[in-house]
Amino acid sequence: LPHLVEPAPEPSQEHLTEAPVIPGSPVNEAADAARTEVDQVVEEAEAYAQAAPKSAVTGYHEGLAGLMAPSPDYVRPTEPNRDRFDTFKTNPLKITAEEPVSTFSVDVDTASYAFVRTMLNRGIMPHPDQVRVEEMINYFDYDYAMPEGASEPFSVSTAVYETPWNAGTQILHVGLRGFDVAPETKPQANLVFLIDVSGSMQNTNKLPLLKSAFKMMVNRLSPEDTVSIVTYAGTAGTALEPTKVSDKRTILRALDRLTAGGSTAGAAGIEGAYALAEDNFVEGGVNRVLLATDGDFNVGMTDHSALTRLIEDKRESGIFLSVLGFGMGNYNDALMQRLAQNGNGSAAYIDTLQEAQKVLVEEASGTLFPIAKDVKVQVEFNPARVAEYRLIGYETRALNREDFNNDAVDAGEIGSGHRVTALYEITPVGSDARLTDPLRYGETTADAPDGSSADGSSELAFVKLRYKQPDGETSKLITRPINERDVVSAEELPQEMRFAAAVAAFGQKLRGSDYLGDYGYDEMLTLAQGARGEDAFGHRQGFLQLVRLARSLDGKGTVN
C-alpha cells in the first residue's frame, strides 16, 4: 500500500549480529545484501503499522497490521549505553594532626577532559565518575619554569594563594615541567600501532577517525622511525610488518585498507603487538605500543586482572604502552585506564580530528618520548601551620605512605615537555573556615608571634618527589619546602595558576563537590577569562565554551 505509508526510514543495523570477518578485509557482499533486505522488510512493516490510517485498512490488511503493530506504549529500542568507568569517591578532608602525609602517583592522562567535552557538546551532563579533576587540569599546558637540563628531568614550581571559592582557605599549587627533548636528539622510535578493527569500531567516530589520527602522526615521525601495524577482531594479525617512515606511502596504504567487523580478541592483539615490538627492539630508543580501541574486549582473555598482569610483565622489557580511546556507547574507560597505568604510558580520548592533532601532533614528543618513570609525589603538612587539607583529584592515583620509598611500586610516567599540576586546598591553623574542631589534647593550635610555628618552623609543608630514569631501576629524590615566601597575593599570582584554579573548580562542580559552596559557573568564567593568556591552539577558549554549555545544561539537560 505505497499510497498509505510514508517512505520507510533508512535501514538500521542495530539488531543484527556482526558476521565474522578477517581483520582488514571487506565484509561479505552477499551477507550485506541479506541484512539490507531483512532490515527493509522490518522497517516497512513497522512504518506501515504505525502510519496507515485505520479507516483505510480493512479485512486482510487490518489483520496484518494488527499482527505487526507494536503495543500503544511501544518505544523502538535504542542501543544501550555501555560506557564503563570506575566508580570512586572524592578525596575527603584530612586533619593534619591525624594524617599529615599525602602520597600519589603523577598523572598526565587527559582522557576525562575530552570525554566530558564530548558529553557536553551532545547536550548531556557527564556522570561524576566520568570526571577525573586532575585530568581536567592537566589537559592544559602551563608555562612553568624550564628545567635546567636532562640530569634533573623536570622543574618544580610552587605557590600558595587564596582559594577562589572558599574564603579562609588557601591553594597549595605544585607544578612540574618536563625536560623538552630537542628534535635533533630524539631517539629512534620503534612503534607498533595496535588497532581494534572489531565490529564495534564501525562508526565514523571510531575506526575512520582512528585511521585519520594515525596518518597525522605518521606525517610527523622521522624517516628513520619504524612503524608496524597489528590488528585484532576475532583473531589478531599483522597488517604491516616493520616499515621505515621513509616509506610513508606503504604505511598510509596499510591504514587505508583497514575495515571493521567481528568480535574483539584484545588480549591476543596485545600479545602480538608486544612480540613484534620485541623482535624489532631499538636499544637506547623508544619502543612503544599504541593501542587504539573502544576497549570492548570480549574474546579470549577478558578478565581485567589477567590483562593487567600481562601488561605489567611486558613493561619490564622496556616496551611501554599508551592507549587511545575512541567512540561512545561502548567505551571501556575503566579497562583502558588500567592498561595505560600499568603499561608505563598515558591514556587519551580522541573524539575529533582536533583532539588527534593535539595528542599526536602538538604533543607527540610527550606522547612518545619518556623522560622519567615511576614519578611519585609526597607532601607532608606541618600541623602547627595547616589544620586541614584535601587533595583535589588524583583519587585513582592514590598511594600508601610507604609506597613512596618502595622502588618496586609502579607510578606514572612523564614525557618530553609534559606539564603536571597538583592542587591542595589547605586550611591554616586559626582560620574560621576550619570544618573540624581542634583536639583538646595533643594538637598545637597557635603560631608564634614572629610568624613561625610553635616548633620553630615557618614551613607550611614539605614536598618530595621520586622518579626513575626511563631505563633506570633506582629512584632519585627531589625535595622542596613550602614556606611564607611561597605565599602570593591574587594580584601577584601568575595567570597560569589562576587558569588552573578555574579548571579545578569546574571539575569539582561537575563531580558535585560539597566544597565549592556557592561558587558557580559565572565565577569560573570570570576567573578563566582573566587568565586565558596566549591561546595559540584555542584550547582555553574551548574550555570557556564548555563552562557556558554546562551552565545552560545544569539542572535542565540530560544527565548521563
Side-chain angles (χ1 to χ4, degrees):
L1 301 174
H3 61 289
L4 296 179
V5 298
E6 295 292 329
E10 193 69 23
S12 167
Q13 302 291 329
E14 291 179 355
H15 60 286
L16 296 175
T17 302
E18 289 295 333
V21 296
I22 300 172
S25 67
V27 180
N28 182 278
E29 293 181 1
D32 275 348
R35 292 179 182 182
T36 301
E37 185 175 355
V38 169
D39 271 353
Q40 188 172 358
V41 170
V42 172
E43 294 284 356
E44 288 178 352
E46 290 183 348
Y48 172 79
Q50 295 178 33
K54 283 288 183 179
S55 59
V57 183
T58 57
Y60 170 78
H61 300 113
E62 186 169 11
L64 180 62
L67 287 172
M68 295 188 298
S71 62
D73 58 349
Y74 171 84
V75 177
R76 183 174 178 81
T78 58
E79 185 70 19
N81 188 315
R82 293 191 297 271
D83 295 329
R84 281 153 284 182
F85 287 76
D86 280 332
T87 298
F88 60 94
K89 294 182 179 179
T90 297
N91 282 329
L93 188 75
K94 299 294 183 70
I95 301 172
T96 309
E98 298 175 358
E99 194 172 344
V101 178
S102 169
T103 310
F104 63 94
S105 164
V106 301
D107 187 9
V108 295
D109 293 350
T110 59
S112 178
Y113 181 92
F115 193 87
V116 165
R117 178 181 60 208
T118 300
M119 298 294 290
L120 290 171
N121 282 330
R122 292 188 174 198
I124 302 172
M125 290 295 289
H127 187 280
D129 288 337
Q130 295 168 346
V131 183
R132 292 184 290 271
V133 181
E134 76 279 4
E135 294 186 26
M136 303 283 288
I137 299 169
N138 287 322
Y139 184 83
F140 302 93
D141 284 341
Y142 302 100
D143 191 20
Y144 300 136
M146 290 287 292
E148 295 181 359
S151 58
E152 191 168 287
F154 45 83
S155 64
V156 183
S157 299
T158 57
V160 178
Y161 54 91
E162 184 179 345
T163 305
W165 55 81
N166 192 357
T169 71
Q170 297 173 319
I171 297 294
L172 167 58
H173 185 123
V174 179
L176 312 181
R177 180 168 183 169
F179 176 72
D180 207 344
V181 179
E184 62 272 14
T185 64
K186 286 177 180 175
Q188 185 180 340
N190 164 36
L191 306 178
V192 181
F193 296 170
L194 175 55
I195 299 177
D196 182 353
V197 293
S198 63
S200 66
M201 293 290 291
Q202 290 186 80
N203 296 347
T204 55
N205 64 343
K206 294 188 180 183
L207 186 59
L209 176 59
L210 180 160
K211 290 159 65 174
S212 297
F214 275 135
K215 288 177 183 179
M216 295 168 69
M217 184 177 200
V218 169
N219 286 329
R220 287 297 300 268
L221 296 175
S222 299
E224 292 305 307
D225 293 336
T226 300
V227 170
S228 313
I229 300 175
V230 173
T231 60
Y232 65 92
T235 57
T238 301
L240 178 71
E241 294 290 341
T243 303
K244 293 290 185 183
V245 175
S246 56
D247 187 10
K248 188 184 303 182
R249 181 177 298 180
T250 298
I251 300 172
L252 298 180
R253 278 204 303 260
L255 287 167
D256 279 332
R257 287 195 296 267
L258 300 180
T259 57
S263 51
T264 316
I270 290 174
E271 290 176 320
Y274 273 108
L276 202 57
E278 288 169 354
D279 290 344
N280 298 276
F281 191 86
V282 177
E283 291 291 343
V286 171
N287 300 276
R288 187 178 294 271
V289 174
L290 288 98
L291 169 60
T293 178
D294 61 6
D296 183 25
F297 292 8
N298 54 33
V299 170
M301 190 190 301
T302 58
D303 176 67
H304 290 187
S305 298
L307 282 167
T308 299
R309 287 193 297 272
L310 171 65
I311 297 299
E312 288 174 344
D313 291 342
K314 296 298 184 182
R315 75 167 182 243
E316 299 304 321
S317 66
I319 301 171
F320 292 174
L321 172 75
S322 293
V323 180
L324 306 174
F326 291 82
M328 299 185 76
N330 199 42
Y331 174 62
N332 193 341
D333 176 87
L335 175 59
M336 290 189 284
Q337 287 289 317
R338 198 164 291 122
L339 296 182
Q341 288 183 18
N342 288 278
N344 274 3
S346 58
Y349 177 75
I350 309 296
D351 57 336
T352 63
L353 273 178
Q354 288 78 9
E355 186 66 14
Q357 167 83 13
K358 179 180 185 292
V359 174
L360 299 178
V361 178
E362 296 168 24
E363 300 172 356
S365 292
T367 302
L368 295 180
F369 303 108
I371 60 169
K373 67 178 182 180
D374 293 341
V375 184
K376 307 169 187 174
V377 177
Q378 187 169 81
V379 181
E380 179 184 354
F381 291 96
N382 181 356
R385 300 298 305 274
V386 178
E388 301 163 336
Y389 69 90
R390 65 182 184 92
L391 175 60
I392 299 174
Y394 290 95
E395 288 87 355
T396 64
R397 292 282 188 162
L399 296 174
N400 295 322
R401 180 174 174 178
E402 62 271 19
D403 293 340
F404 183 75
N405 292 324
N406 185 351
D407 282 352
V409 175
D410 182 55
E413 173 197 69
I414 292 182
S416 171
H418 266 153
R419 280 80 153 177
V420 183
T421 300
L423 304 181
Y424 286 89
E425 182 175 2
I426 63 177
T427 308
V429 167
S431 171
D432 292 338
R434 179 167 182 169
L435 296 177
T436 60
D437 292 332
L439 296 178
R440 180 176 177 85
Y441 307 105
E443 181 178 335
T444 302
T445 59
D447 292 343
D450 62 357
S452 65
S453 63
D455 64 0
S457 171
S458 63
E459 292 179 5
L460 282 71
F462 193 66
V463 178
K464 298 189 292 185
L465 299 103
R466 280 200 177 277
Y467 71 95
K468 299 174 187 172
Q469 295 289 347
D471 56 353
E473 296 303 323
T474 302
S475 66
K476 298 182 179 181
L477 178 66
I478 299 174
T479 62
R480 172 72 63 85
I482 307 297
N483 48 43
E484 289 299 325
R485 68 170 175 264
D486 290 291
V487 179
V488 297
S489 66
E491 294 74 25
E492 299 173 310
L493 186 65
Q495 66 180 14
E496 301 295 290
M497 294 186 174
R498 284 185 280 128
F499 190 85
V503 180
F506 184 56
Q508 292 176 89
K509 183 75 169 178
L510 294 179
R511 279 195 57 79
S513 172
D514 294 329
Y515 296 105
L516 287 181
D518 295 330
Y519 198 78
Y521 297 109
D522 290 338
E523 289 85 356
M524 296 172 204
L525 281 169
T526 300
L527 181 60
Q529 283 173 329
R532 185 173 59 180
E534 185 178 348
D535 188 25
F537 298 105
H539 301 316
R540 296 191 177 193
Q541 179 60 37
F543 170 76
L544 295 174
Q545 182 59 24
L546 287 190
V547 177
R548 294 186 186 103
L549 278 174
R551 180 179 60 185
S552 300
L553 291 168
D554 199 358
K556 301 173 185 177
T558 302
V559 178
N560 185 37

